[in-house]
Amino acid sequence: MSATPILSSVDSPISGKLQLAIPPLLGASVAELTAWVQQHGQPAYRGKQLHDWIYHKGVRSLADISVFSKQWRAEVANIPIGRSTIHHRSVAPDGTVKYLLQLADRQIIEAVGIPSDKRLTVCVSTQVGCPMACDFCATGKGGYKRNLGRHEIVDQVLTVQEDFQQRVSHVVFMGMGEPLLNTENVLAALRSLNQDVGIGQRSLTVSTVGIRDRIRQLAQHHLQITLAVSLHAPNQALREQLIPSARPYPLEELLAECREYVEITGRRVTFEYVLLAGVNDLPQHALELAKCLRGFQSHVNLIPYNPIQEVDYKRPNSDRIQAFVKVLKQQQIAVSVRYSRGLEADAACGQLRANKKS
Ligand code: SAH
């Protein structure tokens, strides 16, 4: 993963060098931070200290780093670290916590903390809103504002970690937004979560609805992360009905890219499949799905639909869900059912929708 320079300047035809807005420091590696302190006339070891204060002490302003001289702190006090503030927090009876986080430009995003046994999983957003407009997803109904920067993705993990006072063990990129429309920042955030925050690559999962060529491009990075692909239908006609972006990017092409991903990375792909009663949950759909995935190193994750207000899909009953599972198992397909946590906190898959009720 390539590093992004912290400071950048471009030639302006009018004034010569033009300093661009300073990107926040969060998301930068030790090497980048070391280069940055040196650019500011400080000795190299200050870079490591800065890294420790940002990632392990959770400092929010350079002015608060007490090991730095007062004079230098005053000089750099306005350079942002890039932390958000918690705008709202709601806790479900199962312990899942949903956060509305306010960003520097006052946009609101959602992050979810999901505790289980010894794990703490954070579900992070990658965009403010989402442009994909999948028919069953609340985020898509709220429209799209902008991509998140790498600091805004890493911040969500640090914020949940601090609030729980427990190390985050897993991160799933399954919040608001489509990660592969923001690949550069997502890759930078993955690097930082792995190397700066210290979360193993295998504990990082990126979920995508599939954007042409982007899965192949992701594979070239040879990461050990888990790729999850939102399939939701076993044939093109049904898929385009549920996912508008499937129209110009046929299922066959998506599956071919996923096969390449497996070949290149040696990692199996997880296929997510939201179960909508009477729409895609019949035994014939399960059979068709098994056919799509034949010869694939894959895993199917069934997500019983979480109701949202705008559409009247229904969650299938547990007999229907079990029948679907049975067909897949008979076809030798690895399958699990993900019953969403945090329904009460409105924090379940597909229910993230900032700015509305909290
Ligand atoms: N844009 C990414 C991340 C989206 S959220 C993607 O499409 O994969 C993660 C998962 O939740 C996706 O599989 C998404 O389709 C699913 N999801 C969305 N709305 C849902 C709902 N109402 N009930 C259950 N799952 C839903």
Side-chain angles (χ1 to χ4, degrees):
M1 282 178 262
S2 63
T4 326
I6 294 178
L7 287 175
S8 44
S9 57
V10 292
D11 285 320
S12 149
I14 304 163
S15 61
K17 281 278 181 205
L18 174 75
Q19 194 78 61
L20 293 178
I22 302 164
L25 299 178
L26 186 60
S29 64
V30 171
E32 285 174 275
L33 292 173
T34 302
W36 184 79
V37 294
Q38 286 180 307
Q39 274 171 28
H40 284 75
Q42 295 292 309
Y45 72 90
R46 292 279 185 218
K48 238 192 165 142
Q49 286 180 325
L50 180 56
H51 187 268
D52 187 45
W53 278 76
I54 290 177
Y55 293 103
H56 302 119
K57 294 199 165 69
V59 75
R60 291 173 168 268
S61 161
L62 291 178
D64 295 335
I65 303 184
S66 55
V67 292
F68 292 170
S69 75
K70 275 216 171 111
Q71 193 199 332
W72 193 54
R73 278 195 264 161
E75 257 173 54
V76 293
N78 289 333
I79 292 174
I81 287 180
R83 298 300 308 268
S84 68
T85 52
I86 297 179
H87 179 73
H88 190 84
R89 176 184 186 281
S90 50
V91 187
D94 68 3
T96 298
V97 182
K98 184 183 83 168
Y99 303 85
L100 293 184
L101 304 178
Q102 189 164 59
L103 309 175
D105 62 355
R106 307 188 74 77
Q107 295 290 344
I108 301 280
I109 54 161
E110 301 210 9
V112 185
I114 308 156
S116 63
D117 301 323
K118 288 192 177 126
R119 287 185 173 199
L120 176 56
T121 301
V122 182
C123 177
V124 295
S125 295
T126 54
Q127 297 183 311
V128 183
C130 184
M132 305 312 291
C134 299
D135 201 33
F136 46 84
C137 177
T139 307
K141 303 288 177 198
Y144 167 74
K145 284 274 164 44
R146 66 170 175 85
N147 275 336
L148 294 185
R150 64 178 181 178
H151 63 286
E152 292 166 325
I153 300 173
V154 177
D155 165 76
Q156 297 171 59
V157 176
L158 294 185
T159 297
V160 176
Q161 185 159 278
E162 287 160 11
D163 190 51
F164 273 78
Q165 299 197 353
Q166 182 187 337
R167 273 191 79 83
V168 168
S169 58
H170 294 75
V171 178
V172 293
F173 287 59
M174 295 186 182
M176 305 171 84
E178 169 45 49
L180 295 191
L181 288 179
N182 187 14
T183 316
E184 194 182 326
N185 290 313
V186 164
L187 283 170
L190 286 168
R191 188 215 58 75
S192 181
L193 291 173
N194 178 226
Q195 293 172 18
D196 305 321
V197 182
I199 301 168
Q201 283 197 28
R202 286 168 185 254
S203 304
L204 302 170
T205 299
V206 172
S207 175
T208 178
V209 72
I211 307 290
R212 179 178 272 122
D213 294 333
R214 301 277 168 94
I215 291 176
R216 185 179 295 117
Q217 285 162 13
L218 181 65
Q220 306 301 338
H221 292 268
H222 294 277
L223 302 178
Q224 292 298 298
I225 62 161
T226 299
L227 176 68
V229 175
S230 295
L231 209 59
H232 304 326
N235 61 61
Q236 176 63 15
L238 188 50
R239 195 162 190 269
E240 4 179 296
Q241 209 178 298
L242 303 173
I243 304 172
S245 65
R247 262 164 239 155
Y249 181 46
L251 182 61
E252 267 181 30
E253 231 183 282
L254 168 64
L255 290 172
E257 268 194 64
C258 293
R259 279 206 173 79
E260 275 186 55
Y261 186 90
V262 174
E263 272 163 32
I264 295 170
T265 63
R267 303 275 297 156
R268 72 177 186 179
V269 171
T270 295
F271 288 101
E272 294 162 285
Y273 193 101
V274 58
L275 286 169
L276 306 163
V279 177
N280 66 355
D281 69 333
L282 305 175
Q284 78 217 40
H285 294 124
L287 261 182
E288 216 179 345
L289 177 60
K291 240 188 231 163
C292 289
L293 304 183
R294 194 139 293 148
F296 228 111
Q297 273 184 64
S298 65
H299 178 99
V300 172
N301 201 200
L302 300 173
I303 319 170
Y305 169 66
N306 296 309
I308 64 166
Q309 275 163 18
E310 291 86 344
V311 278
D312 57 3
Y313 290 119
K314 296 211 164 36
R315 170 185 280 210
N317 64 32
S318 62
D319 286 354
R320 289 282 276 272
I321 298 171
Q322 285 318 315
F324 200 93
V325 168
K326 196 171 158 196
V327 174
L328 289 180
K329 282 190 173 157
Q330 280 167 349
Q331 298 294 316
Q332 323 289 328
I333 303 288
V335 56
S336 55
V337 183
R338 186 206 303 164
Y339 285 98
S340 281
R341 305 270 309 270
L343 277 169
E344 298 82 354
D346 247 353
C349 291
Q351 295 187 320
L352 303 183
R353 173 186 11 208
N355 289 326
K356 293 229 174 144
K357 69 175 177 175
S358 49

